[in-house]
Amino acid sequence: MLQWLKSYFDLSGHETNLKREFMAGLISFFTIVYIIAVNASILAEAGIPLEAGIIATILTCVVGCWLMGIWANTPIILVPGMGINAMFTYTLVHSMGLSWQEALGVVVVSGIIVTIVSFTRISQLLLEAIPHSLKHAITVGLGLFLTLIGLEKGGLIVKGESSLLALGDMTNPFVIATILSIIVTVFLFVRNVPANFLISIIVGTVIAGLLGVVNFSDVGNSSISFESYASLFGAISFEKVGSFAFLVAVFSLTMVLLFENIGLINGHLNMINRPDKFKRSFQANGISILTSGLFGSSPTVSTVETAAGIAAGGRTGVTAIVTGSLFLLSILAIPFMAIIPGSAIAPILIIIGVLMLQSVKQIDFHDLSEGIPAFLVVVMIPFSYSIADGIAFGFIAYPLVKLAIGKAKEVPAALYIIAALFFLTFVAHVY
């Protein structure tokens, strides 16, 4: 068996061994395991039962990691994406009025489209067509959006009169728990403590318990149950498949998934110096997005935490398979995950927002033809409370600004088409 593993994953050709790959998979897992509680919490705000969302998230992570490991033989970790899950809940469901079942239908259709694209040359054309400034701007905008959600989830800001944001009640035990959790999270993170996010969630939950925000006795009364998940698995709806809202949702989600995953996969493969594995990695990603909708979760992305496993020596699919297998074992911890409060989740969202914000350094604001469209993406995602609309503003503005200064030839033909499609969705909204 061990010899087969070494041969199938070509460990010697990748200058690695099973021990190193297993350790890299273990580190990847503890770096990303927080996604189970965080993703389920965001899905719950779309109406998906929390425990069912936890199971869906786990199964999505398991299959995503196994697909990447077996099919692409890369150490890339596929889990529901932060920012994409926010788009699922706050844009598709809250803003566009789709039910969570219809939103899952959108995920499935987007997964099919991304999969088709991944098996054609279109993926390479998109990789070359999207300007670096817009890629980084999307990351920054998503970071600000996640920060906003974290502040709201932690009660630090609330919607006041006329839906304007206001400071929360600083004397509320829930808010106090959030503030203390943020302090702990920041301390652990800046000290680079291993599994810092996981420890932060545990400590944050304990703090909430001491302040009376959660009741630990609920753990003993709960058990692993797949009854609630039965109503979520395969609960996709195509009832509004021909409606304008459904079509716009599919287009918007597909665009975000394509741009974000192409950029992330390309970056991770460059870290291990194996750009030749892009095609299969992107194909695994596309199929994983499709299965996400079937399992009942928001779509997967090639998570940034993959870098932790690569830094630990992960070079092959064994790393991803080990991580996926550990996710499967985490089902045993579901009773504990169900009591994690928003005050323990909020700091994670805020810190991830900080990490994503660092991409702003990659945007050339000295060149206004690059800086202005990027700026529109960055500010419009959180201010419009819509990832899709924020991206649309930037992609429409980019060719227009280039045209205005006589640099139309710098814009790839594919980007003109994408901008036109985004513009048509805006026109359709008006009429």
Side-chain angles (χ1 to χ4, degrees):
M1 180 63 178
L2 291 179
Q3 190 58 42
W4 178 84
L5 283 173
K6 293 177 181 178
S7 174
Y8 181 84
F9 294 101
D10 188 21
L11 299 185
S12 60
H14 289 81
E15 299 180 348
T16 186
N17 53 59
L18 282 177
K19 181 181 179 181
R20 187 181 302 165
E21 294 293 307
F22 273 94
M23 285 303 298
L26 185 66
I27 290 172
S28 292
F29 173 74
F30 281 111
T31 305
I32 194 59
V33 67
Y34 71 86
I35 196 66
I36 299 174
V38 177
N39 190 62
S41 175
I42 292 177
L43 293 179
E45 295 194 27
I48 293 176
L50 181 61
E51 186 173 298
I54 290 173
I55 296 174
T57 301
I58 291 173
L59 294 179
T60 298
C61 293
V62 171
V63 173
C65 291
W66 284 356
L67 274 171
M68 187 62 77
I70 296 171
W71 178 248
N73 192 20
T74 61
I76 295 174
I77 307 304
L78 291 178
V79 302
M82 296 300 300
I84 302 296
N85 50 14
M87 183 177 183
F88 178 92
T89 293
Y90 302 104
T91 300
L92 270 61
V93 177
H94 290 187
S95 297
M96 303 184 74
L98 298 175
S99 67
W100 60 262
Q101 293 91 339
E102 291 161 349
L104 289 176
V106 170
V107 173
V108 170
V109 175
S110 293
I112 293 173
I113 295 173
V114 174
T115 301
I116 292 173
V117 169
S118 70
F119 280 88
T120 66
R121 289 193 66 254
I122 299 176
S123 58
Q124 189 64 35
L125 292 175
L126 290 175
L127 178 62
E128 298 168 354
I130 309 306
H132 290 292
S133 59
L134 293 184
K135 291 177 183 176
H136 293 300
I138 292 172
T139 300
V140 176
L142 290 175
L144 290 176
F145 193 37
L146 286 176
T147 300
L148 176 61
I149 293 171
L151 293 172
E152 289 183 335
K153 185 177 283 290
L156 292 173
I157 58 174
V158 295
K159 288 185 178 179
E161 297 180 4
S162 302
S163 295
L164 295 176
L165 295 176
L167 193 65
D169 180 6
M170 295 296 112
T171 63
N172 187 305
F174 181 82
V175 177
I176 294 174
T178 298
I179 294 173
L180 294 175
S181 295
I182 290 175
I183 294 173
V184 171
T185 305
V186 171
F187 176 82
L188 292 171
F189 186 77
V190 298
R191 298 283 296 182
N192 200 27
V193 176
N196 43 39
F197 282 167
L198 177 61
I199 296 172
S200 168
I201 289 177
I202 294 172
V203 174
T205 303
V206 171
I207 291 173
L210 294 175
L211 292 175
V213 176
V214 297
N215 186 357
F216 290 122
S217 63
D218 292 339
V219 177
N221 298 328
S222 61
S223 59
I224 301 173
S225 173
F226 285 87
E227 291 183 11
S228 61
Y229 182 62
S231 62
L232 177 58
F233 179 75
I236 54 178
S237 172
F238 297 109
E239 186 175 342
K240 294 184 179 178
V241 69
S243 69
F244 175 73
F246 193 95
L247 294 176
V248 170
V250 168
F251 172 73
S252 302
L253 183 61
T254 302
M255 290 295 101
V256 175
L257 289 170
L258 285 171
F259 301 149
E260 183 166 353
N261 280 305
I262 286 174
L264 286 168
I265 291 174
N266 184 61
H268 290 142
L269 292 179
N270 285 336
M271 289 180 67
I272 61 174
N273 196 29
R274 293 303 298 262
D276 55 297
K277 292 190 175 185
F278 175 81
K279 188 172 183 179
R280 282 213 167 201
S281 297
F282 193 46
Q283 289 169 353
N285 200 164
I287 298 171
S288 176
I289 292 170
L290 171 59
T291 61
S292 300
L294 297 175
F295 284 129
S297 172
S298 51
T300 53
V301 302
S302 170
T303 177
V304 293
E305 283 80 4
T306 291
I310 292 175
R315 293 295 181 271
T316 73
V318 174
T319 294
I321 292 172
V322 170
T323 302
S325 301
L326 291 172
F327 267 117
L328 186 61
L329 291 176
S330 68
I331 288 179
L332 300 175
I334 288 178
F336 298 94
M337 295 180 192
I339 68 165
I340 298 172
S343 60
I345 299 296
I348 308 298
L349 298 176
I350 295 170
I351 293 295
I352 291 175
V354 172
L355 295 175
M356 298 177 78
L357 191 65
Q358 295 179 59
S359 288
V360 75
K361 294 183 294 185
Q362 306 299 323
I363 302 173
D364 183 10
F365 284 105
H366 291 97
D367 182 352
L368 293 181
S369 66
E370 298 287 334
I372 290 175
F375 175 75
L376 287 174
V377 172
V378 170
V379 298
M380 290 305 295
I381 287 179
F383 289 169
S384 68
Y385 221 76
S386 171
I387 296 169
D389 289 346
I391 291 176
F393 270 98
F395 274 74
I396 293 171
Y398 191 88
L400 291 178
V401 176
K402 289 291 186 181
L403 282 168
I405 62 173
K407 293 184 177 180
K409 292 183 179 179
E410 290 186 4
V411 183
L415 192 55
Y416 280 112
I417 297 173
I418 294 170
L421 291 173
F422 272 124
F423 178 73
L424 289 175
T425 61
F426 275 148
V427 172
H429 268 302
V430 175
Y431 296 101

